[in-house]
mmCIF file of all heavy atoms in Angstrom:
data_model
loop_
_atom_site.group_PDB
_atom_site.id
_atom_site.type_symbol
_atom_site.label_atom_id
_atom_site.label_comp_id
_atom_site.label_asym_id
_atom_site.label_seq_id
_atom_site.Cartn_x
_atom_site.Cartn_y
_atom_site.Cartn_z
ATOM 1 N N HIS A 159 2.146 23.135 -18.943
ATOM 2 C CA HIS A 159 3.328 23.402 -18.112
ATOM 3 C C HIS A 159 4.550 23.592 -19.005
ATOM 4 O O HIS A 159 5.333 24.563 -18.759
ATOM 5 C CB HIS A 159 3.577 22.273 -17.112
ATOM 6 C CG HIS A 159 4.890 22.292 -16.493
ATOM 7 N ND1 HIS A 159 5.255 23.231 -15.532
ATOM 8 C CD2 HIS A 159 6.001 21.521 -16.696
ATOM 9 C CE1 HIS A 159 6.532 23.032 -15.151
ATOM 10 N NE2 HIS A 159 6.989 21.984 -15.841
ATOM 11 N N TYR A 160 4.730 22.729 -19.984
ATOM 12 C CA TYR A 160 5.891 22.832 -20.860
ATOM 13 C C TYR A 160 5.799 24.100 -21.731
ATOM 14 O O TYR A 160 6.812 24.720 -22.017
ATOM 15 C CB TYR A 160 6.080 21.600 -21.720
ATOM 16 C CG TYR A 160 6.639 20.451 -20.971
ATOM 17 C CD1 TYR A 160 5.961 19.245 -20.899
ATOM 18 C CD2 TYR A 160 7.854 20.525 -20.271
ATOM 19 C CE1 TYR A 160 6.466 18.164 -20.174
ATOM 20 C CE2 TYR A 160 8.368 19.462 -19.588
ATOM 21 C CZ TYR A 160 7.652 18.303 -19.539
ATOM 22 O OH TYR A 160 8.170 17.250 -18.836
ATOM 23 N N VAL A 161 4.566 24.500 -22.088
ATOM 24 C CA VAL A 161 4.402 25.754 -22.809
ATOM 25 C C VAL A 161 4.844 26.896 -21.938
ATOM 26 O O VAL A 161 5.573 27.826 -22.391
ATOM 27 C CB VAL A 161 2.951 25.955 -23.265
ATOM 28 C CG1 VAL A 161 2.673 27.390 -23.694
ATOM 29 C CG2 VAL A 161 2.598 24.992 -24.383
ATOM 30 N N GLN A 162 4.485 26.840 -20.655
ATOM 31 C CA GLN A 162 4.842 27.852 -19.686
ATOM 32 C C GLN A 162 6.360 27.938 -19.573
ATOM 33 O O GLN A 162 6.918 29.046 -19.436
ATOM 34 C CB GLN A 162 4.198 27.597 -18.381
ATOM 35 C CG GLN A 162 4.544 28.552 -17.272
ATOM 36 C CD GLN A 162 3.952 28.141 -15.911
ATOM 37 O OE1 GLN A 162 3.447 27.061 -15.758
ATOM 38 N NE2 GLN A 162 4.034 29.024 -15.009
ATOM 39 N N GLU A 163 7.025 26.822 -19.617
ATOM 40 C CA GLU A 163 8.503 26.753 -19.453
ATOM 41 C C GLU A 163 9.212 26.949 -20.801
ATOM 42 O O GLU A 163 10.447 26.831 -20.836
ATOM 43 C CB GLU A 163 8.872 25.437 -18.838
ATOM 44 C CG GLU A 163 8.274 25.156 -17.449
ATOM 45 C CD GLU A 163 8.790 26.173 -16.424
ATOM 46 O OE1 GLU A 163 9.986 26.506 -16.452
ATOM 47 O OE2 GLU A 163 7.936 26.579 -15.604
ATOM 48 N N HIS A 164 8.467 27.144 -21.878
ATOM 49 C CA HIS A 164 9.031 27.302 -23.235
ATOM 50 C C HIS A 164 9.844 26.088 -23.635
ATOM 51 O O HIS A 164 10.952 26.245 -24.185
ATOM 52 C CB HIS A 164 9.890 28.582 -23.310
ATOM 53 C CG HIS A 164 9.111 29.843 -22.991
ATOM 54 N ND1 HIS A 164 8.117 30.301 -23.750
ATOM 55 C CD2 HIS A 164 9.221 30.689 -21.886
ATOM 56 C CE1 HIS A 164 7.626 31.391 -23.198
ATOM 57 N NE2 HIS A 164 8.280 31.642 -22.055
ATOM 58 N N GLN A 165 9.341 24.923 -23.398
ATOM 59 C CA GLN A 165 10.026 23.707 -23.747
ATOM 60 C C GLN A 165 9.170 22.929 -24.772
ATOM 61 O O GLN A 165 8.335 22.104 -24.400
ATOM 62 C CB GLN A 165 10.301 22.818 -22.520
ATOM 63 C CG GLN A 165 11.214 23.456 -21.546
ATOM 64 C CD GLN A 165 11.400 22.568 -20.271
ATOM 65 O OE1 GLN A 165 10.921 21.482 -20.188
ATOM 66 N NE2 GLN A 165 12.114 23.117 -19.330
ATOM 67 N N SER A 166 9.375 23.188 -26.070
ATOM 68 C CA SER A 166 8.522 22.620 -27.082
ATOM 69 C C SER A 166 8.652 21.092 -27.173
ATOM 70 O O SER A 166 7.714 20.433 -27.487
ATOM 71 C CB SER A 166 8.847 23.288 -28.413
ATOM 72 O OG SER A 166 10.187 23.032 -28.788
ATOM 73 N N GLN A 167 9.830 20.552 -26.853
ATOM 74 C CA GLN A 167 9.994 19.095 -26.886
ATOM 75 C C GLN A 167 9.134 18.428 -25.836
ATOM 76 O O GLN A 167 8.537 17.412 -26.069
ATOM 77 C CB GLN A 167 11.506 18.754 -26.637
ATOM 78 C CG GLN A 167 11.806 17.274 -26.837
ATOM 79 C CD GLN A 167 11.581 16.849 -28.282
ATOM 80 O OE1 GLN A 167 11.679 17.621 -29.201
ATOM 81 N NE2 GLN A 167 11.241 15.593 -28.409
ATOM 82 N N GLY A 168 9.013 19.029 -24.674
ATOM 83 C CA GLY A 168 8.167 18.527 -23.646
ATOM 84 C C GLY A 168 6.705 18.507 -24.055
ATOM 85 O O GLY A 168 5.950 17.631 -23.675
ATOM 86 N N VAL A 169 6.290 19.566 -24.736
ATOM 87 C CA VAL A 169 4.912 19.617 -25.203
ATOM 88 C C VAL A 169 4.611 18.472 -26.154
ATOM 89 O O VAL A 169 3.546 17.798 -25.995
ATOM 90 C CB VAL A 169 4.635 20.984 -25.911
ATOM 91 C CG1 VAL A 169 3.239 21.008 -26.550
ATOM 92 C CG2 VAL A 169 4.779 22.139 -24.970
ATOM 93 N N LYS A 170 5.513 18.218 -27.056
ATOM 94 C CA LYS A 170 5.340 17.090 -27.988
ATOM 95 C C LYS A 170 5.215 15.775 -27.229
ATOM 96 O O LYS A 170 4.414 14.882 -27.569
ATOM 97 C CB LYS A 170 6.484 17.029 -29.012
ATOM 98 C CG LYS A 170 6.460 18.216 -29.983
ATOM 99 C CD LYS A 170 7.670 18.160 -30.893
ATOM 100 C CE LYS A 170 7.743 19.436 -31.707
ATOM 101 N NZ LYS A 170 9.031 19.505 -32.490
ATOM 102 N N GLN A 171 6.072 15.576 -26.250
ATOM 103 C CA GLN A 171 6.044 14.311 -25.482
ATOM 104 C C GLN A 171 4.788 14.159 -24.661
ATOM 105 O O GLN A 171 4.245 13.074 -24.549
ATOM 106 C CB GLN A 171 7.255 14.236 -24.596
ATOM 107 C CG GLN A 171 8.572 13.983 -25.315
ATOM 108 C CD GLN A 171 9.763 13.998 -24.384
ATOM 109 O OE1 GLN A 171 9.653 14.373 -23.216
ATOM 110 N NE2 GLN A 171 10.908 13.606 -24.906
ATOM 111 N N ALA A 172 4.286 15.271 -24.138
ATOM 112 C CA ALA A 172 3.121 15.212 -23.294
ATOM 113 C C ALA A 172 1.865 14.874 -24.137
ATOM 114 O O ALA A 172 0.947 14.256 -23.634
ATOM 115 C CB ALA A 172 2.897 16.533 -22.556
ATOM 116 N N LEU A 173 1.850 15.361 -25.327
ATOM 117 C CA LEU A 173 0.652 15.113 -26.180
ATOM 118 C C LEU A 173 0.887 13.916 -27.019
ATOM 119 O O LEU A 173 0.087 13.162 -27.371
ATOM 120 C CB LEU A 173 0.405 16.350 -27.059
ATOM 121 C CG LEU A 173 0.029 17.609 -26.303
ATOM 122 C CD1 LEU A 173 -0.092 18.796 -27.254
ATOM 123 C CD2 LEU A 173 -1.202 17.474 -25.514
#
Side-chain angles (χ1 to χ4, degrees):
H159 165 72
Y160 285 122
V161 165
Q162 179 184 10
E163 300 295 321
H164 302 292
Q165 297 177 4
S166 60
Q167 187 64 27
V169 173
K170 291 176 188 173
Q171 289 176 350
L173 297 175

